[in-house]
Amino acid sequence: AQNTEFFSKKSDCSLFLFGSHSKKRPNNLIIGRMYDYHILDMIELGIEKFVALKDIKNSKCPEGTKPMLIFAGDAFDIDEAHRRLKSLLIDFFRGPVVPSIRLAGLEHVLHFTAVDEKIYMRSYKVLLKKSGCKIPRIELEDMGPSLDLMIRRTHLASDDLYKLSLKQPKALKPKKKKNVSHDVFGTKYGRIHMQKQDLDKLQTRKMKGLKKRTSEKKTEDGENPKKLKLE
């Protein structure tokens, strides 16, 4: 643990993955993360079945593609170890944070299924097929690697330390603007507060075309307007 914390601080790295093999724990995989250069939590996984990327002869997605993560199974929401493992895998595979992404860039899917105390990891390439409309038909093609895993030992942080690690500095939190809201489509709305206006004293732009004629003024004063003789 001390060596892990030393190398984490030296390389400024918050995540680590360590593989080992022994007679007591064959095909062992340890995944973990740090908080303030100290081990926050780590989970030991046993690899029961492995298929390499090169063993599946299909087309691959480009290196560095941001993956879509899918988690299936009630254990990821019920069991604490599985919930922490889900959080660990999201931190490990989510990639860089981007403001937007184009449809053609959604090429990679990582699927994790928890069933019968095992976790099945599968990697798929997204194929966009013609569907006869604007929305394409989606197909998933296995491209590897794939792993069948089982949870062995766990070292989980206490609830207080885990909540502390999730706390964000005030400088990183977006400042809330008063009387500003957004709808589901992203449209920005603002509310302003004004005093009640007297519309009778409202100054408008004077235009010659809006000036009253002499006959209209006399009518408003109660006098009969001059009758025009029609020829």
Side-chain angles (χ1 to χ4, degrees), residues 194-210:
M194 298 179 61
Q195 295 180 354
K196 189 176 180 179
Q197 291 181 320
D198 187 358
L199 300 180
D200 295 334
K201 298 180 181 180
L202 184 65
Q203 181 65 38
T204 59
R205 184 179 178 184
K206 295 180 180 180
M207 297 177 62
K208 292 182 179 181
L210 297 178

Side-chain angles (χ1 to χ4, degrees), residues 91-129:
D91 283 350
F92 208 89
F93 290 109
R94 67 178 181 176
V97 178
V98 294
S100 59
I101 188 170
R102 62 191 181 96
L103 179 62
L106 301 174
E107 299 181 74
H108 189 198
V109 171
L110 286 175
H111 196 287
F112 300 92
T113 305
V115 61
D116 297 334
E117 298 184 356
K118 293 185 181 180
I119 298 168
Y120 301 92
M121 174 183 169
R122 297 295 183 266
S123 179
Y124 300 103
K125 182 180 180 181
V126 178
L127 303 179
L128 304 178
K129 301 288 187 177

Side-chain angles (χ1 to χ4, degrees), residues 33-50:
R33 55 189 167 185
M34 319 292 289
Y35 173 67
D36 195 21
Y37 302 114
H38 295 286
I39 294 177
L40 178 66
D41 47 19
M42 57 182 176
I43 296 178
E44 186 180 65
L45 303 169
I47 303 175
E48 295 188 343
K49 184 180 178 181
F50 172 73

Side-chain angles (χ1 to χ4, degrees), residues 18-230:
F18 177 74
S20 63
H21 179 73
S22 64
K23 185 177 181 180
K24 187 177 182 179
R25 292 186 179 87
N27 304 320
N28 210 39
L29 197 65
I30 300 175
I31 182 173
R33 55 189 167 185
M34 319 292 289
Y35 173 67
D36 195 21
Y37 302 114
H38 295 286
I39 294 177
L40 178 66
D41 47 19
M42 57 182 176
I43 296 178
E44 186 180 65
L45 303 169
I47 303 175
E48 295 188 343
K49 184 180 178 181
F50 172 73
V51 179
L53 188 70
K54 63 181 180 179
D55 294 336
I56 300 177
K57 307 300 181 182
N58 287 333
S59 59
K60 316 297 181 183
C61 64
E63 183 181 357
T65 302
K66 186 177 176 64
M68 295 177 285
L69 305 179
I70 301 176
F71 293 87
D74 296 336
F76 285 123
D77 299 320
I78 299 174
D79 183 63
E80 183 63 23
H82 283 77
R83 284 196 299 180
R84 292 289 181 91
L85 178 60
K86 177 182 177 180
S87 177
L88 255 171
L89 294 172
I90 291 175
D91 283 350
F92 208 89
F93 290 109
R94 67 178 181 176
V97 178
V98 294
S100 59
I101 188 170
R102 62 191 181 96
L103 179 62
L106 301 174
E107 299 181 74
H108 189 198
V109 171
L110 286 175
H111 196 287
F112 300 92
T113 305
V115 61
D116 297 334
E117 298 184 356
K118 293 185 181 180
I119 298 168
Y120 301 92
M121 174 183 169
R122 297 295 183 266
S123 179
Y124 300 103
K125 182 180 180 181
V126 178
L127 303 179
L128 304 178
K129 301 288 187 177
K130 292 182 179 180
S131 62
C133 59
K134 291 184 178 180
I135 301 176
R137 180 168 56 89
I138 305 299
E139 290 186 3
L140 298 180
E141 183 180 65
D142 191 6
M143 69 173 186
S146 65
L147 297 91
D148 295 353
L149 306 168
M150 63 177 300
I151 297 179
R152 288 177 175 168
R153 294 180 298 176
T154 61
H155 175 80
L156 305 179
S158 62
D159 293 339
D160 294 338
L161 181 59
Y162 187 69
K163 290 180 180 179
L164 182 62
S165 67
L166 299 176
K167 189 176 181 180
Q168 291 184 347
K170 292 183 178 180
L172 297 178
K173 293 182 179 180
K175 294 183 179 179
K176 294 183 179 180
K177 295 183 179 180
K178 293 183 178 180
N179 302 322
V180 176
S181 61
H182 296 80
D183 61 7
V184 293
F185 301 103
T187 306
K188 186 177 180 180
Y189 294 95
R191 178 183 293 178
I192 59 175
H193 299 275
M194 298 179 61
Q195 295 180 354
K196 189 176 180 179
Q197 291 181 320
D198 187 358
L199 300 180
D200 295 334
K201 298 180 181 180
L202 184 65
Q203 181 65 38
T204 59
R205 184 179 178 184
K206 295 180 180 180
M207 297 177 62
K208 292 182 179 181
L210 297 178
K211 285 185 177 180
K212 294 181 179 180
R213 298 177 182 177
T214 306
S215 59
E216 293 176 348
K217 290 182 179 179
K218 290 183 178 181
T219 303
E220 291 180 356
D221 296 338
E223 299 180 2
N224 293 327
K226 293 181 180 180
K227 294 181 179 181
L228 299 178
K229 186 178 180 181
L230 300 177

